[in-house]
Amino acid sequence: MLIGILCAVGAGLMWGLVFVVPLLLPDYPGVVLSMGRYIAFGVIALVPACVDRKQIAALTGADWRVAFKLALIGNLFYYAALASSIHLADAPLPTMLVGTLPVVISICSNWSPGHPSESVAWKKLLSILAIILSGLLLVNASELAHMDGQRSSSQYAAGCGVAMAAVAAWTWYPIMNARYMKANPHVRSSTWATAQGLASLPMAMFGLAAYGLFAAAAGSAFAFPLGPHPARFMGLMLLVGLFASWIGTLLWNHASQRLPTSLAGQLIVFETLFALLYAFILRGVFPPAQVLLGVALLCVGVIFGVRIFRHQVDQSNSSP
């Protein structure tokens, strides 16, 4: 369980990077950022695929169908929606909505657990989630002060709608991914991360080409395919392709095998925490007291969640 928790924290450390990239590349459409990231992920995955070719070759057609669905919804669609919502409504508002993922995932996975042993009493779970939600509201209420106010009401509304689609996609992804990992313990976490990268590559290449044709037909001024800052774009895509995608997916797969999905969902708060850390480093400022209080509540909620699930595991192991 400790290994699973550390892996989930490590995944959050990697995933926090994806919230910063749209801010560093404001001139790039969300679709281009998503397709660029997952083309990089797929190309990077070719290296471990060669090293791990026996395990990759052992995957069945059913395994690949699951990998393609997870890559399409949890990778391509999710990040395109997230990046687009940030461009539409600035970073704070979409970040607040996507920041509810730990609560949403925990509720959905506890409502329909993959195995009865993974569910906990609603009274215990909701008390933990109330603490986590309070922390998220404190953190994000402070972040809302950084909204630039340059968007229209319709842009904010559209950004919120797209952000909610991202929440739906990434609520489905960890639940389905965890169920696959637990149902197929013979598939190594690294193999499954590589398989998702390989599945992402052709879809991302097709998506980028389709966007290029659409942009050309619409008379877009975007300098397709590498945009106005080619070196920065390629460097950041390789960065998130390696760290946020391959390493992040690898760590999350480890966590998914070892932790109840409701608990793993709560640990996604570390993605929010590291995204905040990177944002404050980018701004060159120290977090205000309200944000620090929110972070403290998030940590308290996670600690209580770990204790409850740990107690349940101990009871399960001691029962005849």
Side-chain angles (χ1 to χ4, degrees):
M1 194 171 188
L2 176 60
I3 293 173
I5 292 169
L6 293 175
C7 287
V9 173
L13 176 68
M14 301 294 108
W15 288 338
L17 294 169
V18 305
F19 289 86
V20 178
V21 170
L23 302 178
L24 297 175
L25 295 168
D27 300 328
Y28 287 73
V31 173
V32 172
L33 294 179
S34 178
M35 301 306 159
R37 171 186 174 181
Y38 289 106
I39 287 174
F41 180 21
V43 170
I44 289 167
L46 292 172
V47 177
C50 292
V51 176
D52 196 25
R53 54 185 177 274
K54 290 184 179 179
Q55 292 290 330
I56 292 292
L59 295 176
T60 65
D63 294 327
W64 283 110
R65 285 192 290 273
V66 174
F68 271 91
K69 286 191 289 185
L70 290 170
L72 176 62
I73 298 173
N75 290 349
L76 298 169
F77 179 80
Y78 166 72
Y79 194 55
L82 173 62
S84 298
S85 67
I86 290 174
H87 284 154
L88 283 167
D90 198 19
L93 193 57
T95 301
M96 180 186 71
L97 294 173
V98 174
T100 62
L101 275 170
V103 176
V104 177
I105 293 171
S106 294
I107 290 174
C108 290
S109 57
N110 201 61
W111 191 279
S112 180
H115 190 275
S117 64
E118 291 195 351
S119 64
V120 297
W122 282 106
K123 182 178 180 180
K124 293 180 179 179
L125 181 63
L126 292 178
S127 63
I128 296 166
L129 296 182
I131 297 172
I132 292 175
L133 184 60
S134 299
L136 289 169
L137 291 175
L138 278 174
V139 166
N140 288 295
S142 175
E143 282 298 287
L144 289 177
H146 294 281
M147 291 175 65
D148 57 21
Q150 297 177 2
R151 272 77 166 176
S152 65
S153 297
S154 60
Q155 285 178 309
Y156 282 121
C160 288
V162 176
M164 292 306 295
V167 170
W170 230 87
T171 299
W172 178 87
Y173 173 86
I175 294 174
M176 294 299 105
N177 189 62
R179 289 182 181 178
Y180 174 86
M181 294 300 298
K182 288 169 183 172
N184 298 273
H186 62 282
V187 178
R188 296 188 304 194
S189 299
S190 58
T191 302
W192 194 232
T194 300
Q196 290 188 44
L198 296 175
S200 298
L201 182 57
M203 292 189 291
M205 293 178 69
F206 175 81
L208 186 64
Y211 176 81
L213 293 173
F214 171 80
S220 172
F222 179 73
F224 185 83
L226 299 179
H229 310 289
R232 184 192 304 178
F233 173 70
M234 290 190 292
L236 288 172
M237 293 304 98
L238 289 172
L239 177 74
V240 295
L242 175 60
F243 290 99
S245 294
W246 193 80
I247 296 177
T249 303
L250 169 63
L251 292 170
W252 185 253
N253 288 343
H254 276 303
S256 297
Q257 283 183 320
R258 291 164 171 79
L259 300 175
T261 309
S262 291
L263 176 58
Q266 294 170 37
L267 296 177
I268 293 177
V269 297
F270 287 102
E271 178 184 12
T272 301
L273 294 179
F274 284 113
L276 277 173
L277 174 63
Y278 301 147
F280 282 115
I281 291 173
L282 195 62
R283 295 172 193 155
V285 298
F286 190 78
Q290 182 177 341
V291 171
L292 294 177
L293 178 59
V295 169
L297 284 174
L298 290 175
C299 293
V300 168
V302 168
I303 290 170
F304 281 141
V306 170
R307 290 182 64 182
I308 286 176
F309 278 99
R310 181 63 186 173
H311 178 67
Q312 181 163 308
V313 169
D314 290 341
Q315 282 187 323
S316 177
N317 290 337
S318 62
S319 61

